[in-house]
Amino acid sequence: MKKKTISVITHNLLIAFLAIFWLIPIIWLLVTSFSTYPGMNTSTFFPENWGVDAYKNLLFSADSVAQFPNWFKNTFIIACFSCVISSMFVLMVAYATSCMRFAMRKPLMNVAVILNLFPGFLSMIAVYFILKTLGLTNNHWGLVLVYSASSGLGYLIAKGFLDTVPASLREAAYIDGATEFQVVWKVVMPMSRPIIVYTVINSFLAPWMDFVFAKIILNAGISDQWTVAIGLYNMLERSLINTYFTQFCAGGVLVSIPISVLFVIMQKFYVEGITGGAVKG
Amino acid sequence: MEKVKAGICAFFMAIGGFFKRFGEAVVKGDLFVKLSLIWVGAGYARRKQFIKSIIATIFEVVVLIYSIGFAPKYVSKFGSLGTVKQESVFNIVTMKNEFNDYDHSFLILLISLISFVIWIVAAVAYLHNVIAVYELQKKAQAGEHINSFVEDVKELFNHKFHVTLLFLPVAGIVIFTIIPLLVMILVSFTNYDQKHMPPSALFTWNGFDNYINLFGGGGLTITFGYAFVRILAWTLVWAFFATLTTYIGGILMSLLLNNKKTICKKLWRTLFIVTIAVPQFVSLMLVRNFFADSGIVNTICANIGLTGWLRDMGLIGTSFIPFLSAPGWAHVMIILINIWIGVPYQMLIATGVLMNIPEEQLESARIDGATPRQIFWKITMPYMLFVTGPSLVTDFVKNINNFNVIFLLTEGVYVTTNQLMANSQAKETDLLVTWLFRLTQDYYNYKMASAIGMVVFVICAVFTLIAFNRMIKGDREETFR
């Protein structure tokens, strides 16, 4: 019995050790954000003087470099719009390919497989020029379009879920004289709440997590137009890092809190989505 | 392979069938069907579908105006991509310097391409229209009911709902994925770079020159071939190790966490998830400064004497450990940091899969006296590989294109000392995609960037197709059910 207790303790100690190891940078982020020293503290792990100056400066005294409230607002607006559009697109494509049967279904799905092989990132140069021709660079609408326009390609996880909704339910509704639109609205959607939550959170998070597209589209250097990602990235430029590092940490903490909450909610759908899709093949 | 062949066959059969139906419609159609070859609204007007007829006519007029009034100005120059250079000319009437009527090479390329897409779509719609009108004629002759406009719209929400559903997403994909992709393919065959930037300069076709340069031709002064081989090798090494280490690490961590001995599994799992819930631009930028040349880790290492010891060993020649600023060190550190950021993801997935292992299989194995080790290697691992095999392939491709990790960790920190790499704006730690990004963003070298993009695509596509073919070969779908 005693031997077993020891093995349980060592086992949990091992996990605790790993967890601490994994959390060291995050803890560093947290404690540094409460430092009163504006630059990077390189001599000790914990700050020497504690205070909330960084948060105060970040939230209430915006300057030409740090415009966190603006960035947060920009990102939030972009995220809301692209979330609405891309969730709709994903669910529309998923329903059409999963529940309806039409001649072009298979060819379209095959084309989607090939297009998915091509990382969206690579066509960025051309997208940039198209947006520039349309006058949509350095413009939040351009960014919304970039995030949401081709989101239909990411329909596979949602389709995998809709495939599990029994066809008999829909057939019963058809027999009762329901149109396809009514079937979607009254039968399938109410049953698909988990996948809707997953899709919505996923497309809401994309603009918060993204760095590349925002950097390419909003390249004019007007800091109050930026998203959180480029704003915080810019704070760590070589000439700025010594005055803004603590504010960067504070900003990082402030962004991470809402995102972490959403991420933890989404996490169980995430696993179901990936493994579920794979099992069905 | 058979499946692909059958697919290609079916595709061409479908196109053949489409033209056959068009021919039949033209031959057997009445006067109005034949008239719709010129006026697309004719057939609908004959069947009293006036609104549809008007809409079709408007479309026809718009396409014609576009094709005659707007497109030729650009498409006619597609062969040369423009010949008239931008010049500032003094205008006597307005007394100001004005630009001449110059050619904009990129607009010519883009608008020509868009015109081709529009014309292909219009041609298909045109052929389809004739067929549809002939169908109407057949219906009228058989005395069947012909839909009114309202009924047609209602159909779009009923049996043709997929058209409504797919229209916008497909349009989005065409404009934001397919057209950019084609533009990129075309640009990789031009000399579009900093010296040839529209509107002030023209660029033109240069055949396969960019690819020749990329693959080591093009003379001694061009070092793209050298940089390409180095970066390609590192990209593949990186993708291999990044995928393998996080995959194995994820499985191990998930086994550790889901062990019976673990107390409060949920708490531990959430702690690990926190690291991936923090956006990468925060966590990676932070880690980068954590390991900076004058960063906190270096201070600690110097204090405990590790730096001095390494210097005595001759492993470093500097007063700090160049975690992210020297070749070799940086490569290893990037892979290690990627383990930190990638293992929790894989742990989540592995947990989901492990929970789905059919309990009876494990039970019967235990009854047969299998040791935990045997169970792991004979049941858990094969099952795991079967379920996550496809995602392993996509992970590899994702890592080839893992822009974030490399860019956020090394940009501005790592400076190459290798002159040959620097000549082609590359660094030892670059992946093909970060190289591409730097070429476009900082050096406006669009021609090489496009060529690199094409190469990345080909590598990813070939790898995926081979891997999936291997995996799907021999129907293993039923093995674990």
Side-chain angles (χ1 to χ4, degrees), chain A residues 21 25-26 172 197 239 243:
Chain A
F21 183 75
I26 307 294
V197 172
S239 55
T243 16

Side-chain angles (χ1 to χ4, degrees), chain A residues 11-12 22 42 118 150 180 238, chain B residues 158 262 294 299 340 412 457:
Chain A
H11 181 87
N12 282 288
W22 243 261
T42 54
F118 195 90
S150 25
E180 195 74 47
R238 198 159 286 205
Chain B
N158 198 0
T262 314
S294 56
T299 313
W340 176 70
F457 173 59

Side-chain angles (χ1 to χ4, degrees), chain B residues 113-417:
Chain B
L113 190 70
I114 292 174
S115 304
F116 296 147
V117 172
I118 289 177
W119 287 334
I120 290 171
V121 172
V124 172
Y126 174 79
L127 297 176
H128 188 262
N129 179 60
V130 176
I131 296 171
V133 171
Y134 176 60
E135 294 292 319
L136 278 180
Q137 181 199 339
K138 277 203 281 191
K139 267 191 179 175
Q141 280 165 352
E144 283 170 36
H145 171 70
I146 291 177
N147 279 351
S148 70
F149 184 69
V150 177
E151 285 168 330
D152 269 336
V153 172
K154 274 188 183 159
E155 270 299 274
L156 279 180
F157 284 91
N158 198 0
H159 295 117
K160 287 188 177 164
F161 195 42
H162 59 268
V163 179
T164 321
L165 287 176
L166 289 177
F167 179 74
L168 279 178
V170 170
I173 292 167
V174 169
I175 297 170
F176 277 86
T177 304
I178 295 181
I179 289 182
L181 212 151
L182 296 174
V183 168
M184 219 197 67
I185 295 175
L186 290 180
V187 169
S188 72
F189 294 105
T190 67
N191 62 354
Y192 188 6
D193 57 19
Q194 200 167 13
K195 287 184 209 136
H196 302 90
M197 286 274 282
S200 57
L202 300 165
F203 65 83
T204 187
W205 304 109
N206 70 351
F208 284 92
D209 285 7
N210 303 329
Y211 292 96
I212 293 170
N213 286 344
L214 195 59
F215 293 126
L220 284 174
T221 49
I222 296 167
T223 54
F224 274 99
Y226 171 80
F228 175 71
V229 172
R230 290 281 303 260
I231 293 179
L232 179 68
W234 162 236
T235 306
L236 294 177
V237 168
W238 146 261
F240 176 75
F241 279 108
T243 315
L244 193 74
T245 50
T246 51
Y247 186 72
I248 292 174
I251 293 176
L252 290 179
M253 189 185 263
S254 130
L255 286 175
L256 198 67
L257 286 186
N258 292 306
N259 196 304
K260 278 195 201 103
K261 288 184 263 182
T262 314
I263 308 161
C264 14
K265 288 178 191 169
K266 273 229 158 131
L267 169 82
W268 295 123
R269 205 186 304 163
T270 316
L271 282 182
F272 285 110
I273 290 169
V274 168
T275 49
I276 46 174
V278 176
Q280 287 197 341
F281 62 86
V282 174
S283 54
L284 289 175
M285 293 290 282
L286 191 82
V287 171
R288 172 176 118 183
N289 285 295
F290 205 54
F291 289 106
D293 288 347
S294 56
I296 175 107
V297 176
N298 257 313
T299 313
I300 294 171
C301 287
N303 285 346
I304 61 172
L306 188 65
T307 314
W309 184 73
L310 283 173
R311 203 170 36 229
D312 293 341
M313 296 283 288
L315 285 171
I316 49 172
T318 43
S319 57
F320 51 84
I321 304 177
F323 285 113
L324 287 167
S325 53
W329 280 95
H331 291 125
V332 173
M333 278 313 289
I334 288 170
I335 290 175
L336 289 179
I337 293 171
N338 184 66
I339 292 178
W340 176 70
I341 213 150
V343 162
Y345 267 112
Q346 296 292 342
M347 183 268 290
L348 274 181
I349 295 168
T351 307
V353 177
L354 291 178
M355 281 175 178
N356 283 332
I357 293 185
E359 190 55 37
E360 351 27 305
Q361 282 195 14
L362 297 178
E363 199 57 41
S364 52
R366 252 176 246 130
I367 290 169
D368 289 348
T371 62
R373 190 176 294 262
Q374 278 172 326
I375 292 177
F376 178 76
W377 286 114
K378 294 274 151 70
I379 296 176
T380 314
M381 266 323 276
Y383 183 83
M384 194 72 206
L385 274 175
F386 167 72
V387 176
T388 55
S391 77
L392 207 56
V393 175
T394 44
D395 278 350
F396 186 81
V397 170
K398 264 187 208 150
N399 276 325
I400 288 183
N401 297 301
N402 200 334
F403 177 86
N404 267 1
V405 170
I406 304 289
F407 182 84
L408 292 175
L409 281 180
T410 62
E411 184 67 20
V413 175
Y414 187 94
V415 181
T416 184
T417 49

